Amino acid sequence: MLFLISSCLAVLAERFQLTPQLLHVSVNSSLQRVYLQWTIPNLTYHQELKMVFQIEISQIKKSNVILVANHSSAVRGDRAVHWSWDSELPLECVTHFVRVRGALDDARAPQPGSWSKWSPWEEAHVSLGPNELLVYPKEKLVEEGSNVTFCWISGVNLNNISCYLSGIAIHGERLDAHVSTFKWNNVLFHRDTGTNFFCRHTNPTTYDGVTVFVSKVLEEPKDFSCETRDFRTLSCTWKPGVDTALAWSKQPSQRYALFEWVSGENKHCELKNSCNWQITQDSQELYNFTLTAENYLRKRSVNIAFNVSHRVHPKAPHDVNFDDVSATRARMTWRVHSRGKSHTFLCQVELHCEGQMIQEHNVSVHESGEQLFGDLQPDTRYKAQVRCADANHFWKWSEWTPRNFHTLEAAPSEAPDAWRTVTSENGRRKVALFWKSPSKSRVNGKFPFYNIVVKNMENSSEVQQHALQAPVNSTWLSLGQSSYLIQITFTNSQGTSPALVMGISRDSGNEEVEAERVDGTKEGFMISWKPQTRDVVGYVVDWCANSQGQHCNLQWKNLGPNATSTNISSDAFKKGVRYNFRVYEISAHRIAHLIQKNVGYIQELAPLKSPDVILSNPTSHSFVLNWTTYATESQPGFIEGYHVYVKSKDAQCPQEWEEVVLKGDTHFSAPDTLRREVLGYIFSIGGSTFTTKPSLPYMLLQIILSMTMCVLFLLGLCYWKSQWVKEKCYPDIPDPYKSSIRSLIKSKKPPLTIMSVKDCIPDALEIINKSEGTKTQGGGTGKLHAENAPTKLAYLRLLPTEGSSGPGPCICFENFTYNQPASDCGSCGHISVPPRDPPYHLELLTSPNNLLNVLEKDYTNSLGEIPAEQSSLNYVSQLASLVCGDKDSLATDPPMPQHCSEYKMQMNISLSSMILLGQGKH
Amino acid sequence: MDLRAGDSWGMLACLCTVLWHLPAVPALNRTGDPGPGPSIQKTYDLTRYLEHQLRSLAGTYLNYLGPPFNEPDFNPPRLGADTLPRATVNLEVWQSLNDKLRLTQNYEAYSHLLCYLRALNRQAATAELRRSLAHFCTSLQGLLGSIAGVMAALGYPLPQPLPGTELTWAPGPAHSDFLQKMDDFWLLKELQTWLWRSAKDFNRLKKKMQPPAAAVTLHLEAHGF
């Protein structure tokens, strides 16, 4: 039988030459795929042979074979063979040729290796017009990272094609005269509307382009998990990753589907990150899910398998309530969504107070749970919350379910923290009571009232009761001189607190204790004391936070019986503020005894205020200064002493202040060393300056001298007046016969006429110059010179200089307040000051700058700013210059300024003329 | 009171004079119909507004298409997009048309352009672009109504749509994606040119329809300077 079959096959192979016949050659442009279909024509329908085929593909020309592929297939007469091939180059770019041949591949055949003849070549090509330009591939959808090959085919008339990929010019590889390619490797996603590849030719103008849609790589879903909250639905969630959708529906967003392997069911998910799966009622516990993400280019899958009872995410507990809430305890109950009593939940309970978690409990629950909270504070608001999870297979906690509750009030548990100050006034004592606002833990509720009971220890019938409503935290009592016991309690709705007891002894408020200094630091004051009695139950240190005064803001610190020191620190302590500390010893009878006072500063500062000094009993040699009203306690430091500065009032030269240092005294009497017969003293203390009265003899001497001068002046005036009246009214008539002149007349001829000086009218007035140069001038003025030389007063009358702005060489001011000798100060005497800037000198005017300077100077002078040396030049007469200067040299030399006399306007005129001359030279 | 013949002739002349000048009295010259002027003005304003709006929209849309469409110097020849109404008519030819023809051409062009724009809106991938396109389509619909109002005011009939050319978008022959983008590019470009030319048309028409303005001479004399 086997031999027979083999013989038949051999006959077939020889007789029919199993040559394939290509039935159909088709192309998918977007996939760049070639589909081939062929048959073996000589086979009958029932015959089936196993054959191997060889496919040959050439590009451009038949001899350019680019692919030889083998393909094995079972062949029947009624069935075509299919084969496909993906081309890297777009199929439209070049002409492709394809042919097929076959051979028997059956083990039964005697000669399996003999190939049939090739089928005829099938050719596929694109025909173009002469001016046509085509770019391929026309439609392309690729994934990021892949490669794309573009090609462009141009007609015979198009030679210079420019191509651009996403706007950037590219240069392709020429396959032949009219076909070029460009390979874009590792493509990137630019936009969901694709990347454009564009070619164009100018003259003739034509273009073509393609859009390549680049899809982002589809990501695997992450964090895929499923859980149930109600044992009816499985809720599966995942993170989808990037959306791979492209514009114009080139590729929609990736789709997700669930496949469950146990049940074999499939479900397409509507959402891209979650999907619900109905739990079957047939008690399926194991689930094996595959989540598949899919787009046009790729599929991605993830798988999970689980027992549904291990994926229970309970719902939040419900029906949370509080019962049996007291001041310190509360009981919370809740219920859970349970599958039954057999299922156990682990519940976590937290108790919060003022934002802080104070208790945490774990409770096992089947259907309902409860938790008792103890050690609670009365009258306090709490927040309790509970969440649950599966106790057997923990998966996730449920959400918290919070509830608030408020504990009840309780009676106050501790006594108030109070203190007092005692002051005596008019035979009674004023007791100021202070207490601190109690903490919440001490009050245990709202505290509407403070109760104060005052008992007279010496008269039991005298009892005072006071009730004060919060938030008052101080009051004062007026007590007699007896001993008292003060009890302070506070009351809320639940009861009264223990009492604070304070005793007031007879000498309370009258204790005299010397204050000692204590050095403060930034850390506070270290107060130390020595125990004075053994019967002590404690100590109290008090002080005023705001120093002394009305707004004391009393602070206190309670200390135990064994304490001997304490550090008092406060952020309220300030530099330069005096703090007084008092240390009290509390006896067993609750009576406080002042045992120590301390005073100090955190840091001392310099005194800000000087004493207000009163000068009393000033005499020529004694005085008393008092500053008893100076308040040292308000100073920013301890006042160590005072400085009094003394100096004599009549000192001629600046005299140093004489310093006297006083320690602690608040008055000052002039010491013997300062008691001198002087005009007076100037005292300075703390910025205040005082002057004592001059001595009596000196005053008398001044008065007598003044009166003598006045009398002499009046006498002189009377004499001059009488002489004037006598000359005017009763002139002496000379007797010519008794005159000695008569003898002269008689002896000389011709007779001379006697001229009376009184009858002459002067026609000129001369200036008397006091400078040294003037002394050397002509002797015509010798008489005047001789009279004026030693006197200052006459000179002052001749040259009034009240309006002078500076010291002049001819003016003398006598200043009695200065103690320098006249020769030193230079204010007295005639100092010849050379002119600084002679304005008339021709040489100075030759320069334009000098001209400008002169003009400016002239201008400023004209505005009244007369230089010092010119201010002494007073116009008397134009002739005055002739007197002062050299008359002979006036015509040839420029006029030199004279120190004591000059004609100012003449200077200006001559200056103007000089300026003109100077300009003419230039 | 007796009237003489000379008085009667005088009164008649006076009455005739008053009647002659009545149309010139502004208060009596109001007919209640403001004419096509305001509607032309509104159409002109709307055209300018659309020009401005399209500038922004085209920028966004061409960026959406990607290079080379969003490049400023991209100016390819119009090889495809044959169904789009061309605005690139010779200016002299266009000006030689009468008002009715020009308005009719405007109306027909915007009708087609609106149809294509709506198709564009349907295909836009981003919500923001869809919003902008929908807003522009609404405005362009308003311009069509405005042109229809002007034509009605001037007594011109609205053009009847040709059979088979209803204003509904039907996808044309299968274009490549690139050529489809090119069509979108040309749609926006043609629309821009149409709006520019329509603004000039309506401005010219507005001036043409305005009555000659009365000349006012203001004579100012300055004294005392």
Side-chain angles (χ1 to χ4, degrees), chain A residues 156-168:
Chain A
V156 291
N157 293 341
L158 307 180
N159 297 317
N160 192 11
I161 310 290
S162 306
C163 293
Y164 306 87
L165 176 64
S166 195
I168 300 169

Side-chain angles (χ1 to χ4, degrees), chain A residues 18-32:
Chain A
L18 301 173
T19 304
Q21 180 182 0
L22 281 169
L23 292 178
H24 187 66
V25 179
S26 62
V27 168
N28 184 327
S29 289
S30 60
L31 296 177
Q32 294 178 196

